Amino acid sequence: MIHRTLVRALLASAALAASVLLAGCDSDQISLAQNAKANQPVPPKLIAAMAEKDMDLQSPMLVRLFKQEAELEVWKQDRSGRMALLKTYPICRWSGDLGPKIREGDRQAPEGFYSINPSQMNPQSAYYLSFNTGYPNAFDKALGRTGSQLMVHGDCSSRGCYAMTDEQIAEIYSLGRESFFGGQKAFQLQAYPFRMTPVNMAKHRNNPNMPFWKMIKEGYDHFEVTRQEPKVDFCEKKYVFDAAKPPNATRDPVFEASAKCPAYVVPEEIASAVREKEQKDAAEVAKLISKGTPMARMNTGVDGGMNAIFASKIPEGNTGLSEGGDSQNLQSLALARAPGTIPGTVNPPKPVLAAVPQPEEPPAVATTSSTRVASAAPAEKSEGFFSSFARKVGLGGSAAADATPAAAPAPKAAAAAPAKPKVAEAKPQSVVRVAPKVEPKQAAKPALKPSLTDTASAAPAPAAANSQLAGAAPVVQSNSFDNRFSAMK
């Protein structure tokens, strides 16, 4: 009898411990309660902005990401029940190319529609704070796509993720936390290659990802016309938005990503508004193409992008596949405030020198730059210390070597050749630092980050001092473990 009682007690204790662990996985309440970074309050300035826009602190939220523009939008529900834009955050770094993630190790940041619940919020992130995008979703899995741990996080370093500064992710994390506290079970994340406008659709009309982009544009349009989070389902290996049961049906349709689509309807008020928008956009795209809108270059060999506000603060900074990378824009932004602290080890996208002379000839660029993509791929697959080190140290050399053969066109290559001496490492004995205060980066990362408005004013002053190094390549000490090799996720 005593033995049975003891066994029951042990089983009860084990069940209780398991329930606590499961509760932590489901909601992260325990982690949130014990983590000061994850419990930073929403900044007063952001609360004031919510009040102006008739939003409650704990109302539902929605996030949209755009690679080409390198922007993250946070939307909140106002008291009318519609979503309204609260704030747009410049993205510090994203990796890969325009297009969806296909497989583990391709360095691609995902595109599509994902759902973020409390269990995906990571208060113990190695990159300050983070939340998991939820890739792969049912659609991705139906197509056999692979990958894991694709995050939105801090530290401005990306290896398949969307990276913000620590101050930015602290704000975004706090907004998500408050939405969960308000009763939202999950917030939607919509990730796009670019804003799905007629101009961008016309520019990228030759991209092989266009069928996929047209499919997710339908969800983009649903949100644009309704300002409501679109309901997302999957069937026949495609997205379905705002599906409802037919008038005579007795139960809601059941969707499976790989199965045949069940009978469903889209509410007429939504369907008609989306149809009208799609027709208007298609007509505008046709008009732009007939006017000779140039096609965007593909396969540039540049790994991802960076918002211009961040590129302007970094010696040899470049926006990569994001827009706004010309030197005049970067110079004009050099005096602007940086939204948060940029780590001294940030790894900006590498420009393709051969792409500058002939912007209207994508085939030539694709041929010369395709060899550069291979140099980055092995580092992604291993995720190891030495692979990351090899890529960190050797990539610059290979990039320069790959760019040299592109000097075949005599009149244009002459302009690119003089730029080579400026890329040389003028001061290999020193480390180029971007953040205004270098000391915190060498020590352990501080537990808390102040709000963006508190730290932004400190950024402009050192920027002018670094402006004379605009032609120098950033150098990172190879024997330093503190830098954590920022090219990694």
Side-chain angles (χ1 to χ4, degrees):
M1 182 65 105
I2 296 176
H3 181 265
R4 290 181 180 176
T5 304
L6 180 59
V7 170
R8 285 178 185 169
L10 290 174
L11 290 175
S13 299
L16 180 60
S19 65
V20 170
L21 290 175
L22 289 174
C25 292
D26 289 339
S27 63
D28 268 342
Q29 295 297 325
I30 297 175
S31 297
L32 289 174
Q34 298 176 352
N35 190 298
K37 291 186 298 183
N39 280 286
Q40 294 178 70
V42 177
K45 188 172 183 180
L46 209 51
I47 294 177
M50 289 185 224
E52 290 178 4
K53 299 183 180 187
D54 201 27
M55 301 170 178
D56 293 318
L57 174 61
Q58 295 187 342
S59 67
M61 66 178 278
L62 178 146
V63 172
R64 297 202 302 181
L65 291 157
F66 303 96
K67 290 180 177 177
Q68 182 173 279
E69 292 80 5
E71 290 181 343
L72 181 152
E73 296 178 343
V74 173
W75 294 70
K76 291 276 285 180
Q77 188 182 81
D78 61 23
R79 292 190 179 96
S80 72
R82 290 166 60 88
M83 287 286 182
L85 180 62
L86 173 61
K87 186 171 181 177
T88 301
Y89 296 85
I91 296 175
C92 195
R93 192 71 169 90
W94 60 273
S95 62
D97 201 349
L98 299 182
K101 184 172 184 64
I102 303 299
R103 60 187 174 275
E104 186 88 43
D106 61 6
R107 294 189 64 83
Q108 285 292 100
E111 295 175 6
F113 288 71
Y114 300 90
S115 181
I116 316 300
N117 62 48
S119 69
Q120 292 164 247
M121 307 291 281
N122 183 9
Q124 308 292 347
S125 175
Y127 299 92
Y128 197 70
L129 290 168
S130 66
F131 61 84
N132 194 313
T133 62
Y135 175 93
N137 61 20
F139 169 82
D140 301 317
K141 292 176 182 177
L143 295 180
R145 295 177 177 175
T146 59
S148 60
Q149 302 301 311
L150 280 302
M151 305 279 182
V152 177
H153 58 66
D155 203 47
C156 193
S157 61
S158 175
R159 189 169 163 273
C161 297
Y162 293 97
M164 319 300 291
T165 62
D166 291 353
E167 292 87 348
Q168 287 178 312
I169 194 62
E171 277 193 14
I172 298 166
Y173 193 100
S174 69
L175 290 169
R177 179 197 67 220
E178 295 301 323
S179 294
F180 292 138
F181 288 166
Q184 187 176 21
K185 294 183 178 180
F187 65 84
Q188 191 174 89
L189 182 143
Q190 305 175 6
Y192 300 100
F194 40 73
R195 296 187 185 279
M196 312 300 274
T197 62
V199 172
N200 283 330
M201 298 300 282
K203 285 169 56 178
H204 295 276
R205 61 188 180 272
N206 64 324
N207 195 295
N209 291 303
M210 185 53 69
F212 169 73
W213 290 342
K214 286 182 177 179
M215 180 172 59
I216 62 174
K217 181 183 181 296
E218 184 179 345
Y220 177 95
D221 291 342
H222 275 242
F223 179 73
E224 288 290 308
V225 301
T226 65
R227 287 292 187 258
Q228 301 282 350
E229 176 182 303
K231 178 177 173 287
V232 179
D233 289 297
F234 313 99
C235 61
E236 298 178 8
K237 299 181 181 180
K238 66 180 182 180
Y239 279 85
V240 176
F241 300 99
D242 289 321
K245 64 182 180 181
N248 297 327
T250 58
R251 62 188 184 93
D252 293 329
V254 177
F255 289 87
E256 293 183 16
S258 298
K260 183 179 179 180
C261 292
Y264 72 89
V265 296
V266 177
E268 181 56 31
E269 62 272 18
I270 298 177
S272 60
V274 170
R275 190 163 50 244
E276 181 180 350
K277 183 180 186 303
E278 288 177 343
Q279 292 172 353
K280 182 178 178 181
D281 289 350
E284 184 63 23
V285 169
K287 183 188 297 184
L288 290 168
I289 294 174
S290 67
K291 289 183 177 180
T293 298
M295 292 184 292
R297 184 181 295 105
M298 297 187 299
N299 300 322
T300 61
V302 179
D303 180 23
M306 169 181 280
N307 192 279
I309 187 65
F310 296 111
S312 67
K313 311 298 179 187
I314 302 171
E316 204 69 14
N318 187 275
T319 55
L321 297 177
S322 296
E323 292 184 335
D326 60 273
S327 58
Q328 290 184 350
N329 282 345
L330 295 185
Q331 290 175 0
S332 65
L333 286 170
L335 299 179
R337 295 178 179 180
T341 305
I342 307 174
T345 54
V346 63
N347 183 25
K350 295 294 188 288
V352 178
L353 300 180
V356 177
Q358 294 290 343
E360 299 298 327
E361 298 180 8
V365 177
T367 302
T368 58
S369 63
S370 60
T371 57
R372 296 189 60 203
V373 179
S375 65
E380 166 63 19
K381 182 176 181 180
S382 68
E383 303 185 11
F385 173 89
F386 294 104
S387 298
S388 178
F389 175 83
R391 179 170 58 80
K392 190 70 178 179
V393 177
L395 183 57
S398 63
D402 292 338
T404 304
K412 297 292 182 178
K420 298 295 286 185
K422 299 176 75 175
V423 180
E425 297 177 359
K427 296 182 180 181
Q429 72 277 11
S430 64
V431 178
V432 178
R433 294 295 184 189
V434 179
K437 296 182 180 180
V438 182
E439 297 80 8
K441 192 63 185 180
Q442 299 297 329
K445 213 176 245 297
L448 298 177
K449 291 286 181 178
S451 65
L452 300 182
T453 53
D454 294 335
T455 59
S457 59
N466 290 335
S467 61
Q468 59 185 346
L469 298 176
V475 182
V476 179
Q477 293 177 346
S478 62
N479 61 348
S480 172
F481 286 89
D482 293 331
N483 62 32
R484 293 189 294 164
F485 296 97
S486 63
M488 294 184 67
K489 182 171 68 180

